[in-house]
Amino acid sequence: MIALAAFRLAAYVRSHRVYQALLLMLAMQAVIHGNRAPRGEEATVLTDGGVLIIPVLAWTARSLLDTEPDRQREMSAVQVGGRGREVVAGLLAAFAACAVLAALALGWAMLLGITGSPSSGVLGAALLLYALSALAGTALGAITSRAVLPSPAVSIMTLLFGFIAMLLVSATSLYWLTVPLLRWMKAANSGDLVAQFPQLASISLAWCVVGLGAYVWVRRRV
């Protein structure tokens, strides 16, 4: 299973699809962190960056899972001993790719986006937030991949509308139904990121588990 995950990562890089996501990530970081934020705004800058990269990470996960042809995916399931292992291998590869891009985004924000050094609490919260962003991107990309939505147009539209729905729902009292993106940003702006982190992280993690569980359930039957 690990070997299959590594194989899919290598195929993603060799297909040059990775450069599309990388260039988009670099362009987004250049826009978000065009100017260094003043001291005291570290939490806001790091949180905003972690939230806004989710659609790029979702596109990354979707592209990686779509790199392998359908017949090759069926052969992979036979070779690793079942469709369940094949599905998990794909998710591991997608999360690894998202995690690398999320680490790149966090490094850019730390080096070029802020003036001062964040406190240990803010830095720890930011690290975990970017990890959650990678997981959320993996989940959103997986449930919009070709194995679930065969039409490329429907797939891309669902991915974009899914992210927009996250933003809209997170602005309401039903924010707990999705990844509370705007709640993350508001908590950082108000200086309550560390205090509200356990609640927001729990909600985000629960949504990711549900999203990944739905993908696994669908894939085991498709």
Side-chain angles (χ1 to χ4, degrees):
M1 191 171 64
I2 300 300
L4 178 57
F7 170 77
R8 284 180 166 170
L9 275 172
Y12 180 54
V13 173
R14 289 197 302 267
S15 71
H16 301 296
R17 290 188 176 189
V18 65
Y19 300 111
Q20 299 173 1
L22 179 61
L23 290 175
L24 181 57
M25 177 65 75
L26 293 177
M28 176 175 286
Q29 295 306 303
V31 172
I32 295 175
H33 305 299
N35 294 306
R36 289 183 182 271
R39 293 182 182 275
E41 297 296 326
E42 293 83 10
T44 300
V45 171
L46 296 176
T47 302
D48 290 353
V51 167
L52 295 176
I53 64 172
I54 289 179
V56 179
L57 298 178
W59 185 30
T60 301
R62 172 185 172 274
S63 297
L64 185 147
L65 293 172
D66 287 352
T67 299
E68 191 174 39
D70 295 335
R71 293 301 181 186
Q72 177 64 46
R73 188 161 50 240
E74 294 174 3
M75 292 175 60
S76 297
V78 173
Q79 292 173 345
V80 297
R83 180 164 293 178
R85 290 186 177 184
E86 180 269 320
V87 171
V88 173
L91 292 177
L92 286 174
F95 178 73
C98 289
V100 170
L101 290 182
L104 173 65
L106 178 58
W108 188 309
M110 292 291 296
L111 294 175
L112 301 175
I114 57 179
T115 302
S117 299
S119 64
S120 58
V122 170
L123 180 57
L127 288 171
L128 293 174
L129 171 60
Y130 277 74
L132 286 171
S133 295
L135 190 60
T138 301
L140 181 58
I143 59 181
T144 56
S145 62
R146 187 179 66 244
V148 179
L149 299 175
S151 170
V154 173
S155 174
I156 278 291
M157 290 175 60
T158 303
L159 190 155
L160 294 176
F161 285 136
F163 178 70
I164 293 173
M166 284 184 182
L167 290 173
L168 295 177
V169 174
S170 63
T172 70
S173 59
L174 298 176
Y175 65 92
W176 48 270
L177 289 175
T178 184
V179 180
L181 303 180
L182 294 184
R183 296 284 173 163
W184 280 109
M185 300 171 78
K186 289 180 180 179
N189 289 330
S190 62
D192 296 330
L193 176 62
V194 176
Q196 296 188 32
F197 181 85
Q199 176 194 12
L200 296 177
S202 299
I203 296 172
S204 302
L205 183 60
W207 186 91
C208 292
V209 170
V210 171
L212 292 173
Y215 172 75
V216 171
W217 183 82
V218 172
R219 280 297 321 281
R220 285 178 67 88
R221 289 161 173 76
V222 176

